[in-house]
Amino acid sequence: MLHVGGMRQTSETSFEPDWLALREPADHAARDEGLLAQAAGLVSKGSTVLDLGSGTGSTARAFARAGFDGFAWRFLDNDPALLQNASTRHPDAVCVVQDLSYPEDIQFEGVSFVTASALLDVMTGAWMDALLAQVAKANIPIYAALNYNGDMHWTPADTRDAQITMAFNTHQRSDKGLGPALGPDATATFARLCEAYGYRFHTAQSPWLLRPEDAALQTALLSGIAEAAHEAYAVDAPQWAQARHAVVAQTLAFIGHTDILAIPT
């Protein structure tokens, strides 16, 4: 079911379907199984789960893949095309097109649990504060997975890796449409706000561990990292990417993420 809600100007935090499909297997493999099970244990069968920035519904598929299903999913995203895809793949889900820029406009009535994936690090501290204010008012747990944490390294190493990572992290903190994004600081900021709103806070590491057989994802990822690092200040990022592309079939990549579970006390 695809519903179109009231929209303000759409933020820039939208992603290409091909990229989302390419990264989904790595996302599913990376999620911390223990924290996912703990999160699923907070939701009873038939309860409504609101997935923020849902894209094509990968979070719901991650729960089902881990053996946790029977929830009533409500997908919320600012991209109608992604939600049309989600509606096709999850015909029982309710899909709502809505700008995520304004958490105060999100409807939490009837929602038992909130999820988000690869979202918090592209948002601002003010946005996160506004979201938690709404979620805390409704006394709802929230599970936010796959938040980029700033840690990247490759084997074999390149002498430019550290500089590229620092430049990329600088870019991750730039404006993504709402103001300066939290980037690698998302988890620490979320923890501080959770304490202020009376939530217990749990984290687990969920890194991408990419191998030579993940060459397609590695190739796309390297191009994106190099472009962002170059936009920040790394003038030799294109040369770094060219060198890394040449050995991608022999490369192991570690891209750090953190999963978060916040439970109202």
Side-chain angles (χ1 to χ4, degrees), residues 51-255:
D51 188 32
L52 302 176
S54 59
T56 64
S58 183
T59 300
R61 292 190 289 277
F63 273 76
R65 180 175 179 269
F68 307 113
D69 51 18
F71 309 139
W73 286 93
R74 184 187 301 173
F75 298 146
L76 193 155
D77 201 284
N78 60 18
D79 190 324
L82 294 181
L83 283 179
Q84 187 61 62
N85 183 305
S87 181
T88 300
R89 300 177 73 170
H90 301 271
D92 293 332
V94 174
C95 298
V96 181
V97 181
Q98 185 174 338
D99 188 359
L100 295 174
S101 303
Y102 304 91
E104 61 271 19
D105 292 346
I106 298 173
Q107 298 299 313
F108 293 98
E109 184 177 355
V111 173
S112 299
F113 197 73
V114 174
T115 62
S117 299
L119 178 68
L120 298 187
D121 49 273
V122 299
M123 296 304 193
T124 67
W127 181 92
M128 191 180 287
D129 192 357
L131 173 70
L132 275 172
Q134 294 294 101
V135 173
K137 188 186 303 181
N139 203 41
I140 304 171
I142 179 168
Y143 166 71
L146 302 166
N147 304 289
Y148 175 65
N149 62 20
D151 186 14
M152 297 193 296
H153 52 83
W154 294 264
T155 304
D158 185 295
T159 56
R160 296 163 289 194
D161 288 347
Q163 179 197 14
I164 295 299
T165 297
M166 287 188 291
F168 179 75
N169 289 345
T170 296
H171 189 276
Q172 290 301 100
R173 295 183 175 97
S174 64
D175 192 336
K176 302 296 185 291
L178 299 176
L182 289 166
D185 306 318
T187 299
T189 302
F190 199 77
R192 175 175 55 80
L193 289 170
C194 279
E195 183 178 2
Y197 283 102
Y199 273 68
R200 298 197 313 273
F201 186 78
H202 307 271
T203 63
Q205 298 308 301
S206 53
W208 281 356
L209 303 174
L210 306 182
R211 298 173 174 81
E213 54 265 36
D214 304 307
L217 177 56
Q218 286 207 53
T219 298
L221 182 65
L222 288 169
S223 296
I225 291 171
E227 181 180 355
H230 190 258
E231 287 180 6
Y233 59 78
V235 294
D236 60 346
Q239 292 74 26
W240 171 86
Q242 185 177 12
R244 284 236 154 268
H245 281 139
V247 296
V248 72
Q250 293 85 40
T251 298
L252 303 176
F254 178 101
I255 312 296

